[in-house]
Amino acid sequence: MAILPILCYPDPRLHKVAQPVTAVDERVRAIVDDMFATMYDAHGIGLAATQVDVHERIVVIDVSEERDTPLVLINPEITWASAEKQVGDEGCLSVPGIYDGVERSTAVHVRALDRDGQPRVIEAEGLLAVCIQHEMDHLLGKVFVEYLSPLKRNRIKTKLLKQQKQAERA
């Protein structure tokens, strides 16, 4: 398993729409394994393939305290979302150090393939529901800061670009 580089906002590749996975084979399972290694290494709870510059509909999630409940969603599709919404602070491995409030449905039902290509339906609520919605946004080329005001978004973009330039000089 390899630790993959995570794209940082405002990298334009984060805005590419992911394509459906046509076959769950060894290549896709290797991507899933690398994504889990990358997510755990970065202390994240979710990672979309888009964030590691793989533009296929693959998401890995583990919201457990023990980091022992991996969830793989290949070609995920939200089939139902609660009308009830809640604003919660979100962060993102592609937007390091930034947290802000985003409104999400409190529960969702998702249809997807698992690591072995078997269909499953997940009924999620709370943190798992938020994480699924956040990661699925990535597959559509959307980063959570796009829910924020243009002023906040521009401040974040400026801050992250400045940090990237300082890191390149170091």
Side-chain angles (χ1 to χ4, degrees):
M1 287 186 269
I3 306 297
L4 305 171
I6 298 172
L7 300 177
C8 281
Y9 183 80
D11 191 307
R13 294 172 289 180
L14 288 168
H15 299 293
K16 281 179 132 179
V17 175
Q19 299 303 305
V21 172
T22 54
V24 180
D25 53 18
E26 286 308 311
R27 179 190 70 81
V28 170
R29 282 188 278 278
I31 292 168
V32 165
D33 292 344
D34 290 347
M35 287 175 63
F36 271 118
T38 302
M39 180 189 76
Y40 288 133
D41 181 69
H43 307 288
I45 61 170
L47 187 68
T50 302
Q51 294 176 270
V52 292
D53 205 18
V54 174
H55 302 284
E56 296 181 66
R57 293 185 57 79
I58 304 169
V59 167
V60 299
I61 293 173
D62 189 344
V63 296
S64 68
E65 290 286 326
E66 300 79 22
R67 316 300 279 147
D68 63 354
T69 313
L71 176 63
V72 176
L73 302 173
I74 298 172
N75 296 335
E77 177 185 340
I78 292 177
T79 57
W80 175 85
S82 66
E84 182 184 345
K85 298 191 184 287
Q86 187 171 4
V87 175
D89 268 359
E90 289 189 24
C92 181
L93 295 176
S94 291
V95 191
I98 306 294
Y99 299 87
D100 213 318
V102 176
E103 184 178 70
R104 303 272 188 193
S105 292
T106 58
V108 293
H109 295 176
V110 180
R111 183 175 37 227
L113 301 177
D114 67 13
R115 187 181 187 281
D116 298 316
Q118 297 302 309
R120 43 186 310 196
V121 174
I122 293 98
E123 295 181 6
E125 56 186 30
L127 180 59
L128 179 57
V130 168
C131 190
I132 288 170
Q133 292 169 83
H134 176 108
E135 299 309 332
M136 286 183 64
D137 274 354
H138 280 297
L139 300 180
L140 299 172
K142 190 168 187 174
V143 182
F144 90 95
V145 296
E146 291 170 48
Y147 288 101
L148 307 178
S149 71
L151 178 63
K152 277 188 177 180
R153 196 168 44 248
N154 285 332
R155 283 183 179 161
I156 291 167
K157 186 185 289 188
T158 301
K159 179 179 180 179
L160 292 176
L161 286 171
K162 183 178 175 185
Q163 288 174 354
Q164 288 170 13
K165 285 179 186 166
Q166 288 173 340
E168 288 168 6
R169 281 191 232 123

